Amino acid sequence: MGRKDPRIDAYIEKAADFAKPILRHLRKVVHAGCPNVEETLKWSMPHFDYKGPLAGMAAFKAHCAFGFWKGSLIVPGSKEAMGQFGCITKISDLPKADVLTGYVRKAVELNEQKVKVPRPLKHVKKDIPMPADLGAALKKNAKARATFDGFRPSHKREYLEWITEAKTDETRRKRLDTAVEWMSEGKARHWKYQQAPPRAASPAGRARRPGAR
């Protein structure tokens, strides 16, 4: 059998009047779809677990929210991890009870099979070609060119983005001049925010402790 948490009873009692029947309905549906569900509180909101996180609900000032942890695999067209049903202000905003119970059973099945939600593919940034004006400036400054060539790809990109994203020609010229100056000094684009390594104190510079010989 499942386990009810008295803290959820207290949560429902403290909710706004419009939210109480919604929360009670959701709780009933979850228990109907998963008799062995265990209730708990996470982030001060009611949650339901069964072999891992299953679903969660919450009440706010003007609406309620309910969602499955693996919602993108359960609710058609959903891509969110929680709150697949939008702002719920009344029970009729939710799918019919039998449909919602079916979603709960699907969530149970996924947890039993230890199915994981696929992670979204990372957005691959397009390469930024060397701007003609920067290329020309680097050719005239050997130190800056050597620094740029020695940068990691991420550091090169920081300078390329900074220059190519300038909104006006004047801003671009200023950024170009500054970039070449900094690189000639061996500096990365965000050198101001990089913590300098601590200096090792030399024996001669160390303060002598009182009484030390």
Side-chain angles (χ1 to χ4, degrees), residues 23 38 47 69 85 101 118-119 122 132-133 136 150 159 167 171 183 189 194 200:
L23 297 176
E38 293 189 357
H47 279 73
W69 279 79
F85 306 98
T101 303
R119 291 185 178 181
K122 291 184 178 179
D133 50 358
Y159 270 119
K167 301 297 183 183
T171 300
M183 283 188 279
R189 161 76 177 89
Q194 294 173 345

Side-chain angles (χ1 to χ4, degrees), residues 78-97:
S78 172
K79 296 181 181 179
E80 301 198 18
M82 181 178 176
Q84 296 90 25
F85 306 98
C87 295
I88 307 165
T89 59
K90 52 188 181 300
I91 293 177
S92 59
D93 289 337
L94 289 161
K96 292 183 178 180

Side-chain angles (χ1 to χ4, degrees), residues 42-165:
K42 296 178 182 178
W43 306 289
S44 301
M45 295 181 290
H47 279 73
F48 305 95
D49 290 353
Y50 173 74
K51 297 187 177 181
L54 195 76
M57 65 182 185
F60 303 99
K61 289 184 178 180
H63 72 279
C64 295
F66 175 73
F68 296 97
W69 279 79
K70 299 175 181 176
S72 61
L73 303 178
I74 299 169
V75 183
S78 172
K79 296 181 181 179
E80 301 198 18
M82 181 178 176
Q84 296 90 25
F85 306 98
C87 295
I88 307 165
T89 59
K90 52 188 181 300
I91 293 177
S92 59
D93 289 337
L94 289 161
K96 292 183 178 180
D98 58 339
V99 175
L100 201 53
T101 303
Y103 290 156
V104 175
R105 289 172 180 156
K106 178 64 176 177
V108 168
E109 181 182 340
L110 291 173
N111 279 11
E112 287 179 339
Q113 296 176 358
K114 298 182 179 179
V115 176
K116 294 184 179 180
V117 178
R119 291 185 178 181
L121 295 175
K122 291 184 178 179
H123 177 67
V124 179
K125 294 183 178 179
K126 295 182 180 180
D127 291 335
I128 302 176
M130 170 67 76
D133 50 358
L134 176 59
L138 292 176
K139 283 183 180 180
K140 297 177 182 178
N141 191 312
K143 289 184 178 179
R145 180 73 198 188
T147 298
F148 184 84
D149 289 341
F151 276 150
R152 299 195 301 266
S154 60
H155 283 179
K156 289 181 179 180
R157 188 178 189 87
E158 288 170 356
Y159 270 119
L160 293 173
E161 285 180 340
W162 190 46
I163 292 170
T164 57
E165 291 177 358

